[in-house]
């Protein structure tokens, strides 16, 4: 499998407008909902709004009729909507049809496909600490299957306080439009991502857990600044997943 | 018989647990005997409905803190797969065995209890943990850790097509040489949020659902789990030849009226499996028992397949298993191939005018060389799994 992909474009959203999940802003940045017509903008969760805003950046410049297979990665998905449905059941004894329609993990991609009349397939990936790594693995496999492009979005929203600690800060989203690398070398500086096999963690290494969304925002920053080299995609007690960010060159196979 | 892209993905073991039975053979026998899993819900609800209530297996002691409704069902469904799982792990190495899992609600029943307790006590439930209970990844992470699976492991969650997406990803892992074997599973347990939600949409029946029946009045929800172990180039009763995937791009909770996403998914599935539509012997339809699905899916089947192809929905018997539906119905297709019998569409009579011409009102004994299983989900996510004889 060719383990290179070209990063055509990217986008991100956090309420602070920075790449820091825990940065607070006096006034939260409004997410861009330009990808949805007005009639689809009602009852959207923070998560879906973040995804749409980041995706607007990643899809900028793409022909509006282009079909875009998509992969959505999230650690806890539409958790605020789930809690709101529970709250309504407890307090009012019924359910909200509008919220229930938007309660599945693929809500954001479903809305995007309806808005764009996009018939391309989409999927979601959840894998705990390895959520970003598995989303990129799935994406690379779809590109290897012949997909002309894949939109990959990583997002999470703050965990409601009724359920305990919130490790996700303000929440947000990061999105990339990836294409297969061309057969001939591309100009210096055009970013490419190379996915490596997982590496064992050495016994003396300190493994500091990192949220997949935080790692995704870090990758956005690296692409923005052209800081090539190893990129952490997941750190677990047993293994790490890394990618290499580099100028896109001739395709290589996963060793 | 086996054609298509890459090494064939043999089903070397399978298991299932749902309201028809705690093991796959008892469940399929019950299906063929026209039994219906439709019991009073195990929850207090302010409306009338029935559910496909399943009985799982006891949990290993160390899993007790993580208990949710879908975990005992997963244990029961996984048990018959374990010997083959150990064999492939030994043969290929643990890092060459992947695991992809599908679920639509995960441990939501546990989250509901934690939320209610939090509201009551004014502080979060200290015994509740997002990662090991709520998350869609909770069950696969427990299974992977316990059985030493070290290949790529993740959950796909796309409502009713969740575990078909798991199969699609599993085929990719095999096709691209990332894994030599992949455990594919799916599970969903009954919970208030789901039952209240479908009731709020006006889709819930007060009795067992009757897909393609003129007297249908909606879906009934079930719970269950199922697993398939796929091995590249292996030997087993059937192969998963392809998974066709598409989107309707039409509406969030209603299928395209002519089922255009399903047509594309079916055609893609056949093309990737190297099959002509005339070679399909049986279709396990999504068939939820709603008018919208029956109209859309019947139209899609008429467009993509010969008019007289044998069709049945098994959701009238199991209930709609949500994230576990696609993998459970893939198991039914494997069993249809293995045993040479196609199950009837429970509750089909009197059939609706829109019903497929080949709708089975009785079981049919005949060789099944190729079977399709369709799923049409919220968000317009549509899949078609192709199961073929070796």
């Amino acid at each position: 499998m060719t383990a290179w992909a070209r990063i055509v474009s990217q986008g991100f959203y956090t309420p602070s407008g920075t790449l820091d999940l825990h940065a607070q802003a006096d006034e939260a940045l409004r997410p861009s909902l330009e990808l949805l017509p007005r009639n689809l903008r009602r009852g959207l969760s923070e998560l879906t709004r973040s995804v749409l805003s980041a995706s607007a950046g990643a899809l900028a410049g793409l022909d509006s009729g282009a079909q875009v297979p998509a992969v959505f990665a999230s650690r806890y998905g539409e958790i605020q909507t789930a809690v709101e449905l529970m709250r309504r059941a407890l307090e009012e004894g019924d359910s909200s049809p509008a919220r229930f329609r938007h309660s599945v993990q693929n809500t954001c991609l479903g809305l995007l496909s309806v808005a764009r009349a996009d018939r391309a397939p989409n999927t979601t990936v959840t894998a705990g600490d390895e959520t970003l790594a598995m989303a990129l693995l799935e994406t690379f496999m779809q590109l290897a299957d012949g997909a002309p492009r894949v939109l990959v979005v990583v997002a999470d929203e703050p965990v409601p306080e009724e359920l305990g600690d919130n490790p996700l800060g303000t929440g947000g989203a990061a999105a990339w439009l990836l294409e297969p690398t061309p057969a001939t070398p591309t100009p210096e500086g055009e970013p490419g991502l190379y996915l490596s096999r997982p590496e064992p963690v050495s016994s003396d290494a300190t493994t500091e857990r990192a949220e997949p969304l935080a790692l995704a925002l870090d990758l956005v920053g690296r692409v923005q600044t052209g800081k090539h080299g190893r990129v952490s995609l997941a750190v677990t007690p047993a293994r790490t997943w890394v990618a290499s960010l580099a100028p896109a060159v001739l395709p290589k196979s996963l060793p | 018989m086996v054609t298509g892209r890459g090494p064939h993905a043999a089903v070397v073991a399978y298991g299932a647990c749902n309201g028809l039975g705690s093991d796959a053979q008892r469940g399929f026998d019950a299906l063929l005997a026209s039994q219906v899993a439709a019991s009073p819900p195990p929850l207090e609800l302010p409306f009338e409905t029935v559910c496909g209530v399943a009985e799982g297996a006891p949990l290993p002691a160390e899993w007790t803190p993580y208990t949710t409704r879908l975990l005992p069902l997963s244990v029961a469904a996984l048990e018959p797969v374990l010997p083959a799982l150990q064999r492939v792990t030994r043969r290929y190495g643990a890092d060459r065995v992947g695991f992809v899992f599908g679920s639509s609600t995960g441990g939501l029943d546990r989250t509901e209890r934690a939320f209610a307790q939090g509201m009551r006590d004014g502080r979060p439930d200290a015994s509740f943990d997002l990662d090991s209970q709520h998350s869609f990844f909770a069950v696969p992470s427990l299974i992977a850790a316990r059985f030493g699976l070290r290949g790529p492991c993740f959950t796909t969650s796309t409502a009713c097509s969740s575990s078909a997406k798991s199969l699609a990803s599993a085929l990719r892992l095999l096709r691209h040489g990332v894994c030599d074997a992949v455990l594919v599973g799916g599970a969903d347990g009954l919970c208030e949020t789901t039952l209240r939600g479908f009731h709020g949409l006006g889709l819930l029946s007060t009795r067992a659902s009757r897909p393609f029946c003129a007297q249908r009045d909606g879906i009934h929800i079930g719970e269950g789990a199922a697993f398939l172990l796929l091995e590249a180039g292996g030997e087993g009763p059937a192969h998963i030849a392809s998974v066709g995937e598409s989107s309707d791009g039409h509406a969030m909770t209603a299928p395209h009226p002519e089922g255009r996403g399903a047509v594309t998914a079916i055609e893609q599935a056949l093309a990737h499996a190297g099959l002509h539509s005339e070679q399909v012997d049986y279709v396990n339809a999504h068939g939820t028992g709603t008018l919208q699905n029956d109209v859309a899916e019947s139209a899609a089947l008429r467009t993509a397949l010969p008019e007289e192809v044998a069709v049945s929905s098994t959701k009238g018997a199991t209930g709609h298993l949500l994230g576990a539906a696609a993998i459970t119905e893939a198991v039914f297709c494997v069993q249809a191939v293995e045993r040479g019998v196609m199950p009837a569409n429970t509750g089909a009579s009197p059939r609706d005018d829109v019903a497929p011409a080949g709708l089975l009102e009785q079981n049919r004994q005949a060789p099944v060389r190729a079977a399709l299983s369709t799923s049409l989900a919220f968000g317009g996510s549509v899949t078609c799994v192709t199961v073929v004889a070796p």
Side-chain angles (χ1 to χ4, degrees):
Chain A
M1 179 181 83
T2 303
W4 277 105
R6 190 165 69 95
I7 302 175
V8 176
S9 48
Q10 67 174 8
F12 81 96
Y13 169 79
T14 59
S16 68
T18 73
L19 295 170
D20 181 356
L21 269 186
H22 298 281
Q24 297 292 331
D26 291 334
E27 200 174 317
L29 201 65
R30 285 168 71 95
S32 163
L33 302 182
E34 68 189 64
L35 288 175
L36 288 194
R38 289 197 179 280
N39 66 316
L40 288 180
R41 294 182 188 176
R42 285 189 298 274
L44 303 180
S45 64
E46 274 188 59
L47 181 75
T48 293
R49 289 169 184 270
S50 298
V51 169
L52 291 169
S53 197
S55 300
L59 297 178
L62 186 70
D63 175 40
S64 62
Q67 303 286 288
V68 188
V71 176
F72 171 55
S74 180
R75 192 168 194 137
Y76 303 125
E78 297 281 355
I79 193 166
Q80 291 186 9
T81 298
V83 165
E84 279 313 301
L85 287 167
M86 292 173 204
R87 189 190 316 282
R88 179 149 169 173
L90 268 180
E91 293 179 350
E92 297 176 45
D94 65 4
S95 178
S96 161
R99 280 208 181 270
F100 186 67
R101 279 191 193 96
H102 290 174
S103 64
V104 290
Q105 179 120 357
N106 58 317
T107 292
C108 53
L109 295 187
L111 283 166
L112 209 49
S113 82
V114 171
R116 301 183 74 250
D118 195 335
R119 304 284 316 285
N122 55 61
T123 190
T124 77
V125 169
T126 303
D129 287 334
E130 296 186 333
T131 295
L132 170 61
M134 292 298 97
L136 285 174
L137 176 63
E138 170 68 30
T139 299
F140 275 73
M141 292 195 296
Q142 291 194 18
L143 290 170
D145 272 343
R149 64 190 73 84
V150 178
L151 171 70
V152 54
V153 190
V154 181
D156 265 296
E157 60 185 5
V159 175
E161 59 184 14
E162 293 90 343
L163 297 184
D165 293 336
N166 168 40
L168 296 160
T170 62
W176 302 274
L177 186 64
L178 300 183
E179 288 183 358
T181 48
T184 51
T186 59
E188 181 75 29
E190 193 171 55
L193 199 63
Y194 173 70
L195 183 66
S196 302
R197 286 202 179 282
E199 301 170 359
V201 176
S202 63
S203 55
D204 58 353
T206 46
T207 53
E208 199 175 308
R209 190 183 176 197
E211 285 299 325
L213 178 57
L215 294 172
L217 291 170
D218 181 62
L219 175 56
V220 169
R222 298 280 298 271
V223 173
Q224 279 178 338
T225 56
K227 191 179 169 191
H228 297 148
R230 281 167 66 94
V231 178
S232 178
L233 300 182
V235 179
T236 74
R239 62 191 181 192
T240 63
W241 286 85
V242 296
S244 297
L245 187 63
V249 293
L250 287 169
K252 294 179 187 174
S253 292
L254 206 62
Chain B
M1 177 66 210
V2 179
T3 54
R5 305 186 297 176
H8 57 258
V11 176
V12 299
Y14 62 85
C17 170
N18 51 64
L20 292 179
S22 299
D23 79 66
Q25 300 314 328
R26 268 207 292 272
F28 198 65
D29 288 341
L31 182 64
L32 296 177
S34 302
Q35 287 179 26
V36 171
S39 309
L43 321 153
E44 273 193 44
L45 295 166
F47 50 81
E48 195 184 329
T49 191
V50 293
C51 295
V53 182
E55 189 177 327
L59 299 182
E62 62 268 31
W63 282 6
T64 311
Y66 313 122
T67 190
T68 56
R69 265 197 98 85
L70 77 172
L71 196 52
L73 309 182
S74 301
V75 171
L78 185 60
E79 200 192 324
V81 179
L82 291 177
L85 188 60
Q86 283 162 5
R87 175 183 66 76
V88 298
T89 306
R90 270 197 306 272
R91 178 174 179 183
Y92 301 112
D95 60 349
R96 295 289 301 175
V97 180
F99 181 13
V100 193
F101 185 79
S103 184
S104 185
T105 56
L108 207 57
D109 62 297
R110 179 66 184 93
T111 314
E112 289 169 350
R113 288 198 301 282
F115 177 76
Q117 182 174 322
M119 293 285 277
R120 216 168 37 236
D121 298 349
R123 62 180 182 277
D125 175 353
S127 69
F128 175 70
D129 181 71
L130 278 173
D131 288 313
S132 61
Q133 294 170 330
H134 169 83
S135 169
F136 300 140
F137 189 61
V139 166
S141 69
L142 286 175
I143 291 174
R146 180 172 175 81
F147 298 106
L149 306 178
R150 292 203 300 269
C153 177
F154 54 96
T155 293
T156 56
S157 181
T158 56
C160 315
S161 62
S162 294
S163 44
K165 293 291 183 178
S166 306
L167 278 167
S169 292
L171 292 187
R172 283 190 268 273
L173 288 169
L174 294 173
R175 185 160 57 246
H176 298 300
V178 181
C179 295
D180 298 302
V182 184
L183 178 66
V184 192
D188 260 323
L190 294 170
C191 65
E192 263 202 55
T193 304
T194 300
L195 290 162
R196 286 178 179 271
F198 278 106
H199 179 259
L201 287 178
L203 295 176
L204 210 58
S205 173
T206 56
R207 52 187 177 163
S209 63
R210 303 177 70 182
F212 303 113
C213 175
Q215 294 166 359
R216 73 173 87 68
D217 73 340
I219 67 176
H220 85 279
I221 304 294
E223 59 185 358
F227 290 88
L228 295 173
L229 181 61
L230 304 182
E231 183 181 0
E235 289 185 5
H239 298 140
I240 306 296
S242 64
V243 179
E245 302 174 77
S246 181
S247 292
D248 267 346
H250 173 70
M252 284 302 289
T253 54
H256 184 269
E258 288 155 26
R260 65 183 181 188
V263 171
T264 302
I266 291 169
E267 290 175 346
Q268 188 188 89
L270 292 174
H272 289 170
L275 293 172
H276 295 294
S277 59
E278 296 79 21
Q279 292 176 277
V280 176
D281 294 308
Y282 168 63
V283 179
N284 184 294
H286 186 59
T288 55
T290 66
L291 177 62
Q292 280 181 322
N293 183 86
D294 287 359
V295 166
E297 191 168 21
S298 297
L301 295 175
R302 267 197 310 277
T303 303
L305 297 169
E307 196 169 346
E308 295 295 329
V309 66
V311 177
S312 70
S313 166
T314 49
K315 287 187 172 72
T318 58
H320 190 343
L321 304 181
L322 304 178
I327 191 81
T328 300
E329 290 156 18
V331 168
F332 288 152
C333 287
V334 169
Q335 292 174 300
V337 169
E338 186 176 31
R339 289 164 66 163
V341 59
M342 297 167 251
N345 188 108
T346 320
S349 179
R351 67 163 71 192
D352 195 302
D353 290 341
V354 303
L359 191 71
L360 295 176
E361 294 186 56
Q362 308 286 338
N363 301 332
R364 180 181 296 173
Q365 280 206 288
V368 179
R369 290 147 304 198
L372 303 181
S373 172
T374 50
S375 296
L376 287 68
F378 274 20
S381 173
V382 188
T383 54
C384 178
V385 178
T386 314
V387 180
V388 299

